Each structure stands twice: as C-alpha cells, then as structure tokens.
C-alpha cells in the first residue's frame, strides 16, 4: 500500500517548518522595529511632525516590501525546489507570509498607536487639508482610500508581491537582482506619475494662456482645480491598479513555483 498523501494544510505547516529557520530573525527584528515605530508615531503625531509621520509610515511599508527577501537564502534554490511538499502548499505559505503574516507583524502596533494616540496629524487630515479637497464633500469610499491603514498596506503589500515574484523568478544573484528591479520599477512608476501630473497642470495653464497673459489668480485657480482633477482620479485608479496587480502577481508567483517544482 502507498502512504496516504498529506492534507494541503499539513503540507503548508511542513513548508512553514522548513522556511522558519531563515524567517525567525526577520520576525524577531520586525516585531522589535514595529514596537519602536509605534511609539515614535504616537510622539510625532502628538507634536504634529508631518514629515516624520510620513517617513515612519513609509518605513512600515518598506519593511513589508523587502520581507520576501528572507526566502532568497544563498544556495538554497535546489533544496527549495526538491523539498517534498506540493507547489500549492509552497505557494500558500510564501504568499500568506507576504500578504498576511508580515503585514500583521509590521502594522498591528503602529495602527493601534494611531487609534489610541491619534494626535494632531494623520494621512487623512494631511490630504483633506489641501485646498482642492477641503472645499469638497468627498464620498465615503474616497475618504476610506485616504486612511493611513489602507495606504500603508497597499503601498507595502503590492510591491512585496513583486519582490516575492522576483525571488522565485531569478536563479542567480537573487537578492541583488530583486532589489535592483524593485527600485527600477518603483522609480519608473514615480517618474510616470510626476510627468502625468506636470503635463496635466501645465496643459490647463497653456489653455488658459491661449488668449493672452493669464491673471495670476486664474492660474492659481486652474492649479487648484487641476490638483483636484488629478488626485481624485489617481486615487481611484491607483486603488484599482493595486488590486489587479496584487491578484495578478499572486497568480504569476504560484505559476512560477509550480513551473519549477520537481
């Protein structure tokens, strides 16, 4: 008689045990960093230090983005491929660690700090203080997109899935190539966003200048309107893009793990 095939859950547990030695120090360091960041967020929010607040929330996202590098242990690729659990179990564990365990580890204490010590600054207040937003009654869905919790998670977990995809894609110099392509794609998207913003604002101003020298007040009004016309569509569009990219990267990562499985 052949031995019974272990259940998928037991295989996921086996995958967790296999990967744990290379993940444990990341878990410990992230837990400590999360505690420190949560304290600092309470302090900078209380004293209305907006720049430091943005830096700290960005740091939480960066921790999520590069967490999958822990799977890229040097010379472990062959062992990872031949480790006797199904590709489904490996995919579930690696993706689950990236999109559930790490975000909980990194975000739980900072989010609690934001809720318990709201202070004088948070992401929604900073955005709503912009003139373009302050004069408009925003729908609840748009206000939810401005929440710090959603921004930190989406800005961290979607690039983190890109990092995980690169980790399973590359065969050599995995860490270097993954970080390099993460940076290249991140800079490329940022440049594209900035070019779109600048083009939209100046296009509106050029239209206004077609009949002669525009009034400075009209230019300011056009700039404010353009900011509103850019920010709202971008927030909606980026949220849709993040969700599609998130699901697509999960599928591509699982497909790559299946393709290399022996």
């Amino acid at each position: 008689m052949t031995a019974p095939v272990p259940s998928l859950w037991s295989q996921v547990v086996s995958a967790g045990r296999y990967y744990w030695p290379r993940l444990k120090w990341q878990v410990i360091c992230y837990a400590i960093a999360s505690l420190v960041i949560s304290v600092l967020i309470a302090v900078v929010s209380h004293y209305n230090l907006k720049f430091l607040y943005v830096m700290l929330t960005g740091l939480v996202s960066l921790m999520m983005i590069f967490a999958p590098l822990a799977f890229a242990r040097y010379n472990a690729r062959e062992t990872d491929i031949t480790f006797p659990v199904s590709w489904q179990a490996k995919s579930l564990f690696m993706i689950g660690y990236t999109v559930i365990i790490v975000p909980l580890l990194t975000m739980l204490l900072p989010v609690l700090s934001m809720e318990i010590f709201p202070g004088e600054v948070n992401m929604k207040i900073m955005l709503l203080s912009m003139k373009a937003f302050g004069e408009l009654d925003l729908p609840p869905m748009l206000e939810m997109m401005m929440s710090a919790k959603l921004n930190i998670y989406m800005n961290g977990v979607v690039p983190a899935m890109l990092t995980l995809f690169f980790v399973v894609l590359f065969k050599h110099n995995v860490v270097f190539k993954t970080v390099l392509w993460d940076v290249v794609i991140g800079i490329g998207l940022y440049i594209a966003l900035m070019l779109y913003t600048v083009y939209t604002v100046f296009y509106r101003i050029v239209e206004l200048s077609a009949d002669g020298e525009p009034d400075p007040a009209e230019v300011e009004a056009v700039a404010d309107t353009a900011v509103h016309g850019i920010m709202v569509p971008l927030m909606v569009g980026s949220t849709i893009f993040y969700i599609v990219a998130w699901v697509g990267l999960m599928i591509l990562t699982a497909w790559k793990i299946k393709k290399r499985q022996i």
Side-chain angles (χ1 to χ4, degrees), residues 33-262:
S34 179
L35 176 61
V36 173
I37 290 172
S38 65
V39 173
L40 292 175
I41 283 177
V43 173
V44 301
S45 182
H46 176 75
Y47 288 102
N48 199 23
L49 304 175
K50 297 180 180 179
F51 176 75
L52 290 178
Y53 178 88
V54 173
M55 292 291 290
L56 289 169
T57 56
L59 181 58
V60 176
S61 293
L62 281 175
M63 289 166 63
M64 284 189 277
I65 291 172
F66 294 111
L69 290 175
F71 290 110
R73 195 173 75 177
Y74 182 68
N75 283 339
R77 182 178 177 86
E78 290 76 12
T79 308
D80 290 350
I81 292 173
T82 57
F83 179 67
V85 298
S86 66
W87 67 268
Q88 294 96 329
K90 292 178 183 177
S91 300
L92 282 173
F93 178 79
M94 296 175 76
I95 293 173
Y97 179 80
T98 302
V99 305
I100 299 175
I101 297 175
V102 170
L104 278 174
L105 185 66
T106 56
M107 288 184 61
L108 181 59
L109 291 179
V111 167
L112 285 175
S113 179
M114 295 174 193
E115 296 295 331
I116 298 172
F117 308 104
E120 299 297 327
V121 57
N122 62 54
M123 199 167 295
K124 187 185 293 185
I125 290 174
M126 286 189 289
L127 286 171
L128 291 177
S129 65
M130 296 172 59
K131 184 178 179 181
F133 289 120
E135 297 174 352
L136 183 70
D137 291 328
L138 297 175
M141 180 61 70
L142 200 59
E143 289 199 18
M144 185 186 73
M145 292 180 194
M146 295 180 182
S147 72
K149 296 182 284 292
L150 184 60
N151 274 271
I152 294 170
Y153 183 78
M154 296 303 293
N155 289 330
V157 78
V158 176
M161 277 307 308
L162 183 65
T163 299
L164 180 61
F165 174 69
F166 287 146
V167 166
V168 300
L169 174 67
F170 296 129
K171 295 181 180 179
H172 307 289
N173 301 317
V174 176
V175 174
F176 173 76
K177 290 180 180 178
T178 298
V179 173
L180 176 64
W181 279 104
D182 275 349
V183 172
V184 168
I185 292 174
I187 291 175
L189 289 174
Y190 178 78
I191 291 174
L193 176 62
M194 292 302 297
L195 288 176
Y196 171 76
T197 304
V198 171
Y199 170 79
T200 304
V201 172
F202 277 92
Y203 179 76
R204 297 287 295 276
I205 293 176
V206 168
E207 278 188 329
L208 186 65
S209 306
D211 298 326
E213 188 70 23
D215 184 88
E218 291 180 321
V219 173
E220 182 180 355
V222 167
D224 288 340
T225 303
V227 168
H228 173 262
I230 294 168
M231 291 295 290
V232 172
L234 275 181
M235 289 174 67
V236 176
S238 63
T239 302
I240 296 172
F241 171 77
Y242 276 7
I243 294 172
V244 172
W246 186 34
V247 174
L249 285 167
M250 286 184 189
I251 294 172
L252 286 173
T253 300
W255 172 79
K256 186 60 183 177
I257 292 172
K258 177 183 179 181
K259 187 177 178 182
R260 74 178 192 178
Q261 179 79 349
I262 295 177

